[in-house]
Amino acid sequence: MALGAKRVSLGWLNAWTLGTVAIALIVTLPILAVGYVGLTPSDDIWSHLVSTVLPGYVWTTLQLMALVGVGTFIIGVGSAWVVSTCRFPGKRVFEWAMLLPMAMPAYIIAYVYTDILEYAGPVQAMLREFFGWTTKREYWFPEIRSLGGAASMMTLVLYPYVYLLSRAAFMEQSVCVLEASRVLGRGPWRSFFSVALPLARPAIVIGLSLVLMETLNDFGTVDFFAVGTFTLGIYDVWLNMNNIAGAAQLAGVLLLFVAFLVLSERFGRRKQKFHHTTSKYKALPGYQLTGARAVLATAGCALPVLLGFALPAAVLASYAAIHFDDAANAEVLRHAGNSLLLSTIAATIAVAIGIFMAYAVRLRGEAVLKVMVRLASLGYAVPGSVLAVGIMVSLGAFDNGVDAYMRETFGISTGLLLSGTIAAVTFGYLVRFLALSFGTVEASLGKITPSMDGASRSLGHGTFSTLRRIHLPLIRGSMLTAVMLVFVDCMKELPITVILRPFNFHTLATYVHQFASDEQLGEASLAALAIVGFGVLPVIALSIAISKARPGHGSNTEKEMS
Amino acid sequence: MVDLSSSFETECEIIDRDHRRLVEMVNAIVAAIDGDHATECATRVPKFVKFAKQHFVREEAFLADIGYPETQKHHDHHRALDGKMATILGLAAKAADNQLAREALKKDLVFFLMDDVINADLDFKPFIKVRKT
Amino acid sequence: MKGLHIHGVSHAYGNNKVLNNVSLTIPTGELVCLLGPSGCGKSTLLRLAAGLETLQCGTIVIDDQTVATKESSLAPEHRHIGLMFQDYALFPHLDIVANVCFGLIGMARDKARARALEMLDQVGMADYAKVYPHTLSGGQQQRIALARALAPEPKLLLLDEPFSGLDTNMRQMIREDTLNVLKQNGVATLMVTHDPEEAMFMADRIKILGRHGRVRQSGSPHDIYYKPNDEFVAGLFGLMNRLGGVVRDGAVETPLGRVGAGGIADGTAVQVLIRPEGIVLSGGNTGSNPGIPVSVSSTHLLGHSSIVSVSPDGNSGDEYFARVHREFSPELEDTIFASIEASDTFVFPLKEDTASAAPIGMAAE
């Protein structure tokens, strides 16, 4: 039995599996490092933390999560329901405009609102003038720099996650289910609570989980408002108390919160599969709203968009116009260059790795691979501050190891190779946003029927050739989307950049953070505006995707496939 | 034309020798048909069927002899081929003056030999192999 | 031997056995059809032959080259096979000519193009060279997929339910055209289908796969139809009249007459299967033995034939279906007689496991 020369290895020892395992290990290293350092402290910092700051961090973080959760639920689900089931003035615009606040990082609207709502700001000045007050003691005004203020800021920019997912869920509910409910004698409100909401619950759970992950991740807002959450605590213990083990321990506790959120998200996704009632969807006809109700719907939808996007963007634009000068612009341009460079590199690598992993899973559906891919995707849930600690620890260990080895063998000290370089920042972005690129690419690959692979292979093309000639051309659109999503998230990213950046190195985000923290928002307004500008890109892409996916517009998968 | 390439060898000489002979006979019949000597079918095909039946007998005796556990099953398989051999003989009788019968005969012969007889005999190849060592 | 040689292939997904010791031989130029109900592992065998699935047990040999054993496997791209999917799997981003050229690796560009156009001409699609797949109808896509699979002159062609995506009117025409192209190209072909009529039309030899991936019978279309091994195979070709009985004196007494039991021993409980076309109806006084008098309870005109339900007189509880291939008007007949056609009647011993049932010769009186 003469066998041919080119055999396929049947074991798991192959480039795809090994490569994926290697990527997963490297990417999870920072998370493992946090766990390791947290569990093996050099001194007994833990009992100190427990007796001093920890209860406060836990309580504040829980309060913040609860407030943001409730806020985004009300705005997100409410607007999604109204937009997808009612007809009222501006409905078509709101369908996509509700997403606009996504473009606004929480820390930027925090700076803007602080600027206009503080004692010396225009709002209070106007009130004083109008009512003739002269001192602060004569009237009450809510303090923006508070837990409630931070929660409001986050709610305003994070509710689109809930909106997006619950709207999709409402659209997917066959109109027949809702009509059946109404025919059976339930009014629109009772139909909402007894049919639509329970059916959309898995989607809403996913949306809320994502919102809360972002809440835990936030650094800029809580830092500026001095709200003592975990993220701020980690930063504080590490940089101000100079105790990396303590920071790692706090990070470990934060990871427990995260684990809970990841589990609830997974739970939601699993449930979601059972909740698709019928495959035949008809566009929801919509209840025609008139009079006061129509006004209420329009106003209710307009308010979050105005407060979360239009107003702050307008304020930033006016500040930018006032503070426009060449010297400052040159500096902004330099930082923008840094941001662009880092984000482009990170996005390109993230998408390349995402394609590699998604194709590996497609080629060989081994259990090992699926576990590895899931591990590699964990970064999206881990707050930037925790990742930063982990990266600092693991890169430090790597640098010291290399240095020791080189000194021993060649007598050369290599010093710190990676710590405090832009490579460290890029790595941080990669760990955090890999899930984003992987998920996008995987979803897109999943739409290509496996018979395409079979056809190409049987026609004599190997796995790489098939990827290059069939899959990559077919998923080109999603690849660009993935690059853009990661790119924009890197542009906005603050906690990882702040902690890992080289000395005196700024991105647009850190530059805005630094100036705004010094209450010089005007100087940084152009940079902030630039971040928001980039942030609008994915919103546009999402809007287009949504309008394409609307029932009756034909599925784009079909077009892609046939 | 068919041949007894390595993947069809049972690696048991007495069986393979029979198979080679059967292959030669089938090829001769196919050559006769293709070479416009279809009249030969009337004599060649019955000879082939007769030899095939003798082969079955020899093979079953051999299998019983070496203690092959599924000898009975193989015997049943051979019995089940009676109908096909009858069909083949029927086609051979008509082959001289019926083009359709000639085409059907060629196909039936080749499948009968390569699939029903030889490929099925590979079932006991692992047993013989283990026994040899 | 040139062609495909598969021996002893078994395959399971977890505990679900889909192929059980399957062997087959396809000499070059011949077409073998795997026929079986959906989910019986037909397509798995195809995927194993293509190398898209890892072989668990057995050997696969293409043109004297062993391409897969339990231990090692040749990658699909090195097997020189053509593969045509149920959904045709045309590459949507390439035009028709580029689709057909896709497998012509290492061929000079103009030569490859010429070869592709030649294949397109063979399937009658030369005018569509510059068109993209999504603008074509199902039948046209099927032709392109066939041209693409055959262009590199594969040693083996694998067809997975090649006509299931076509509407009934198209199907017959495309089947004929496909068969012509296959015969022209003289390639060994393994085709998988669940449609018995399609298998009968296309195949030189049919292999019937039953549940759990066991081969129930292999033979020419004629063998399969007229000498089915068991009731499973007999039942593949549609509606059957099923009757019970016991063998006495080498025959079974049925309400419609005596049926010869072939070699089955006296006293065996048997099942008698009669195809609707095996029940012949006549208006009486046509022959010496017109059969059993019956009454007609309903008749349904299907177009080329009618299905008539009849009951033997005085026993209206038993109802049988007969197929009548001409206009049939029971209201114009005084009495109607039914008799049984031997070639469409089969007797099998009543057994739990019909797989081991020996084939039985048939004769009716």
Side-chain angles (χ1 to χ4, degrees):
Chain A
M1 283 195 200
L3 292 173
K6 290 167 181 165
R7 315 303 308 182
V8 170
S9 116
L10 297 178
W12 56 275
L13 279 168
N14 61 78
W16 298 103
T17 311
L18 287 180
T20 306
V21 171
I23 293 165
L25 289 182
I26 293 172
V27 168
T28 35
L29 194 63
I31 304 172
L32 296 177
V34 169
Y36 176 77
V37 175
L39 290 174
T40 54
S42 45
D43 47 8
D44 191 21
I45 177 85
W46 179 242
S47 57
H48 173 71
L49 287 175
V50 170
S51 62
T52 54
V53 289
L54 187 69
Y57 291 154
V58 171
W59 179 232
T60 311
T61 305
L62 283 177
Q63 277 178 295
L64 186 67
M65 286 168 75
L67 288 172
V68 175
V70 171
T72 52
F73 176 83
I74 293 172
I75 301 181
V77 176
S79 58
W81 174 250
V82 173
V83 165
S84 45
T85 61
C86 302
R87 278 183 290 165
F88 59 94
K91 172 196 157 89
R92 286 269 167 227
V93 176
F94 285 123
E95 275 179 5
W96 57 268
M98 292 309 296
L99 294 172
L100 278 174
M102 259 185 146
M104 197 63 76
Y107 56 84
I108 289 186
I109 71 163
Y111 304 145
V112 171
Y113 278 108
T114 309
D115 209 63
I116 56 178
L117 292 181
E118 67 178 355
Y119 182 72
V123 174
Q124 290 199 39
M126 213 168 69
L127 286 174
R128 283 195 298 270
E129 186 149 325
F130 188 78
F131 290 104
W133 297 317
T134 46
T135 63
K136 202 172 182 175
R137 262 179 239 114
E138 287 175 60
Y139 64 99
W140 178 85
F141 194 83
E143 174 53 60
I144 178 82
R145 290 185 148 192
S146 63
L147 182 70
S152 311
M153 298 300 108
M154 291 184 197
T155 301
L156 278 178
V157 298
L158 294 179
Y159 82 82
Y161 284 102
V162 180
Y163 167 79
L164 198 58
L165 281 149
S166 44
R167 185 177 128 83
F170 290 142
M171 298 296 283
E172 278 175 6
Q173 287 173 9
S174 173
V175 63
C176 305
V177 178
L178 291 174
E179 280 175 351
S181 162
R182 295 202 63 190
V183 169
L184 289 169
R186 304 205 162 183
W189 279 108
R190 286 194 61 195
S191 296
F192 171 69
F193 283 109
S194 60
V195 178
L197 201 56
L199 277 176
R201 190 162 50 200
I204 297 172
V205 169
I206 299 171
L208 282 177
S209 308
L210 293 175
V211 163
L212 295 180
M213 284 172 195
E214 286 299 321
T215 307
L216 290 181
N217 179 51
D218 177 85
F219 168 75
T221 315
V222 292
D223 180 46
F224 189 52
F225 285 2
V227 176
T229 61
F230 261 108
T231 308
L232 196 58
I234 292 167
Y235 192 72
D236 203 44
V237 169
W238 182 9
L239 293 184
N240 298 340
M241 292 163 70
N242 210 5
N243 189 323
I244 198 157
Q249 283 176 328
L250 284 182
V253 179
L254 185 47
L255 280 180
L256 293 181
F257 281 73
V258 170
F260 171 75
L261 292 178
V262 171
L263 286 180
S264 57
E265 189 212 352
R266 290 248 164 271
F267 173 78
R269 290 203 194 276
R270 226 179 39 233
K271 281 272 172 181
Q272 207 173 28
K273 288 181 188 149
F274 304 117
H275 276 253
H276 287 216
T277 42
T278 65
S279 53
K280 279 204 151 178
Y281 300 122
K282 227 164 72 184
L284 296 161
Y287 313 122
Q288 180 68 55
L289 299 184
T290 48
R293 287 179 172 204
V295 172
L296 201 65
T298 309
C301 288
L303 200 62
V305 183
L306 282 178
L307 292 181
F309 182 79
L311 179 66
V315 170
L316 282 177
S318 71
Y319 283 3
I322 296 167
H323 289 86
F324 200 82
D325 78 84
D326 292 345
N329 293 351
E331 204 181 350
V332 170
L333 219 55
R334 192 155 51 81
H335 301 323
N338 288 339
S339 276
L340 285 173
L341 181 71
L342 274 184
S343 306
T344 309
I345 294 173
T348 313
I349 299 177
V351 171
I353 293 179
I355 291 171
F356 181 89
M357 292 199 307
Y359 193 58
V361 173
R362 183 183 177 89
L363 276 182
R364 324 177 56 92
E366 294 152 355
V368 193
L369 267 182
K370 287 179 182 155
V371 173
M372 285 301 147
V373 164
R374 181 137 312 165
L375 272 181
S377 311
L378 268 183
Y380 78 103
V382 180
S385 53
V386 176
L387 282 182
V389 173
I391 288 169
M392 205 70 156
V393 171
S394 37
L395 289 189
F398 174 81
D399 286 345
N400 289 337
V402 172
D403 185 58
Y405 174 80
M406 293 301 275
R407 259 192 297 197
E408 208 167 286
T409 16
F410 303 106
I412 322 163
S413 169
T414 52
L416 294 181
L417 283 174
L418 296 176
S419 304
T421 63
I422 61 167
V425 184
T426 313
F427 180 52
Y429 290 171
L430 211 55
V431 174
R432 182 144 165 81
F433 301 125
L434 188 55
L436 199 56
S437 66
F438 171 75
T440 312
V441 171
E442 194 194 30
S444 174
L445 271 184
K447 289 180 193 158
I448 300 176
T449 68
S451 50
M452 292 282 167
D453 305 49
S456 169
R457 298 293 297 280
S458 71
L459 288 166
H461 290 266
T463 47
F464 278 103
S465 171
T466 301
L467 175 64
R468 192 172 62 82
R469 300 189 51 168
I470 303 298
H471 296 101
L472 292 189
L474 288 180
I475 65 166
R476 202 173 43 206
S478 307
M479 258 163 67
L480 290 178
T481 308
V483 168
M484 180 193 67
L485 289 177
V486 177
F487 174 85
V488 170
D489 265 349
C490 292
M491 295 289 285
K492 295 201 276 191
E493 210 292 331
L494 189 57
I496 294 177
T497 324
V498 164
I499 297 175
L500 293 180
R501 73 195 158 112
F503 184 67
N504 250 344
F505 175 91
H506 273 298
T507 64
L508 285 178
T510 62
Y511 175 79
V512 172
H513 173 68
Q514 190 181 25
F515 271 82
S517 301
D518 297 342
E519 316 224 335
Q520 289 177 288
L521 182 59
E523 322 291 325
S525 53
L526 187 61
L529 206 57
I531 295 177
V532 176
F534 280 112
V536 172
L537 290 177
V539 175
I540 295 170
L542 269 174
S543 314
I544 294 171
I546 287 173
S547 68
K548 262 192 195 162
R550 193 178 298 137
H553 284 233
S555 86
N556 45 346
T557 27
E558 241 171 53
K559 268 181 215 145
E560 232 170 281
M561 288 311 97
S562 58
Chain B
M1 290 290 158
V2 288
D3 59 68
L4 200 65
S5 45
S6 62
S7 68
F8 287 99
E9 279 170 10
T10 61
E11 289 168 39
C12 170
E13 188 44 36
I14 51 167
I15 307 280
D16 285 341
R17 199 169 42 210
D18 275 2
H19 288 170
R20 272 195 293 276
R21 177 83 190 104
L22 288 166
V23 167
E24 280 166 21
M25 293 171 99
V26 164
N27 281 337
I29 296 167
V30 172
I33 293 174
D34 290 344
D36 267 345
H37 307 294
T39 43
E40 293 177 20
C41 290
T43 50
R44 284 184 182 275
V45 173
K47 271 189 198 161
F48 165 79
V49 169
K50 192 176 160 203
F51 190 82
K53 286 183 174 166
Q54 289 167 351
H55 161 67
F56 293 162
V57 173
R58 269 196 295 278
E59 185 173 82
E60 284 166 31
F62 167 76
L63 290 177
D65 200 37
I66 62 171
Y68 176 60
E70 304 206 46
T71 305
Q72 182 58 40
K73 194 176 154 199
H74 203 71
H75 169 82
D76 291 344
H77 170 68
H78 285 157
R79 296 290 304 140
L81 297 178
D82 285 348
K84 280 183 181 159
M85 288 190 282
T87 307
I88 286 172
L89 287 173
L91 289 170
K94 298 270 180 232
D97 38 37
N98 186 331
Q99 171 65 23
L100 290 175
R102 288 196 287 274
E103 289 306 315
L105 179 61
K106 280 201 287 187
K107 279 190 203 307
D108 278 10
L109 271 176
V110 168
F111 277 115
F112 171 76
L113 177 62
M114 299 310 285
D115 204 33
D116 295 328
V117 176
I118 301 183
N119 206 2
D121 283 354
L122 294 172
D123 284 352
F124 54 76
K125 179 175 171 178
F127 180 78
I128 297 179
K129 222 173 187 173
V130 170
R131 206 175 148 274
K132 265 188 189 165
T133 51
Chain C
M1 189 199 73
K2 292 277 182 209
L4 174 68
H5 176 205
I6 288 178
H7 182 259
V9 168
S10 297
H11 202 86
Y13 297 108
N15 283 330
N16 180 21
K17 200 149 199 180
V18 295
L19 290 174
N20 191 346
N21 196 24
V22 174
S23 299
L24 62 82
T25 319
I26 311 178
T28 300
E30 305 291 328
L31 191 150
V32 171
C33 195
L34 273 182
L35 173 64
S38 18
C40 72
K42 308 174 301 245
S43 296
T44 304
L45 191 69
L46 216 65
R47 295 177 60 78
L48 286 168
L52 299 173
E53 197 101 23
T54 309
L55 189 63
Q56 293 170 350
C57 180
T59 49
I60 298 174
V61 183
I62 299 173
D63 274 12
D64 295 337
Q65 185 194 17
T66 303
V67 296
T69 63
K70 199 168 57 186
E71 289 83 25
S72 71
S73 164
L74 191 65
E77 59 267 29
H78 300 304
R79 290 192 183 191
H80 302 291
I81 46 160
L83 178 53
M84 204 173 106
F85 288 92
Q86 201 169 348
D87 60 3
Y88 315 129
L90 297 180
F91 305 130
H93 60 300
L94 301 177
D95 65 15
I96 297 308
V97 114
N99 260 284
V100 180
C101 282
F102 195 80
L104 302 172
I105 300 167
M107 207 186 261
R109 188 175 281 257
D110 48 339
K111 266 192 174 170
R113 210 186 138 75
R115 168 74 184 145
L117 288 173
E118 181 195 332
M119 275 319 299
L120 284 174
D121 193 41
Q122 257 195 52
V123 298
M125 292 292 291
D127 295 343
Y128 294 84
K130 279 282 146 210
V131 154
Y132 281 83
H134 64 93
T135 60
L136 298 180
S137 72
Q140 290 170 323
Q141 291 194 27
Q142 197 268 358
R143 290 159 198 259
I144 304 299
L146 184 66
R148 183 177 71 177
L150 287 172
E153 301 183 309
K155 299 170 178 173
L156 170 68
L157 181 65
L158 304 165
L159 306 176
D160 189 358
E161 303 268 6
F163 310 107
S164 65
L166 304 172
D167 59 56
T168 346
N169 293 331
M170 284 286 271
R171 211 176 284 180
Q172 187 52 35
M173 197 175 76
I174 302 238
R175 265 184 210 159
E176 275 186 56
D177 293 349
T178 304
L179 204 53
N180 280 335
V181 172
L182 292 180
K183 292 296 164 195
Q184 248 180 73
N185 285 268
V187 59
T189 307
L190 176 59
M191 175 176 133
V192 150
T193 181
H194 67 273
D195 179 352
E197 199 182 305
E198 196 161 289
M200 302 278 280
F201 182 86
M202 299 287 290
D204 297 309
R205 191 180 182 82
I206 296 174
K207 290 240 169 194
I208 312 268
L209 271 191
R211 304 247 167 257
H212 311 298
R214 216 188 292 266
V215 176
R216 306 299 281 260
Q217 185 168 0
S218 49
S220 63
H222 189 275
D223 278 345
I224 301 287
Y225 192 81
Y226 289 108
K227 297 175 189 167
N229 268 358
D230 53 37
E231 56 158 309
F232 176 85
V233 177
L236 281 175
F237 298 91
L239 190 68
M240 275 284 187
N241 293 292
R242 288 164 195 267
L243 299 80
V246 176
V247 181
R248 301 240 186 280
D249 302 327
V252 191
E253 199 65 55
T254 75
L256 295 174
R258 264 171 84 80
V259 175
I264 303 177
D266 283 4
T268 315
V270 292
Q271 188 167 28
V272 180
L273 283 82
I274 311 171
R275 292 212 165 95
E277 46 271 46
I279 298 180
V280 182
L281 301 183
S282 63
N285 53 33
T286 45
S288 53
N289 183 9
I292 310 281
V294 292
S295 55
V296 173
S297 52
S298 72
T299 163
H300 298 276
L301 182 63
L302 300 180
H304 52 82
S305 65
S306 304
I307 289 286
V308 181
S309 11
V310 296
S311 313
D313 281 350
N315 189 3
S316 56
D318 284 346
E319 199 174 33
Y320 304 100
F321 298 100
R323 189 188 295 278
V324 179
H325 286 273
R326 56 182 169 75
E327 195 190 353
F328 182 76
S329 319
E331 58 274 16
L332 298 181
E333 303 286 350
D334 294 332
T335 43
I336 294 164
F337 295 93
S339 59
I340 302 173
E341 188 79 61
S343 58
D344 283 312
T345 307
F346 313 100
V347 180
F348 302 111
L350 208 54
K351 269 190 188 175
E352 282 305 297
D353 181 16
T354 45
S356 56
I360 294 127
M362 275 299 322
E365 292 185 27

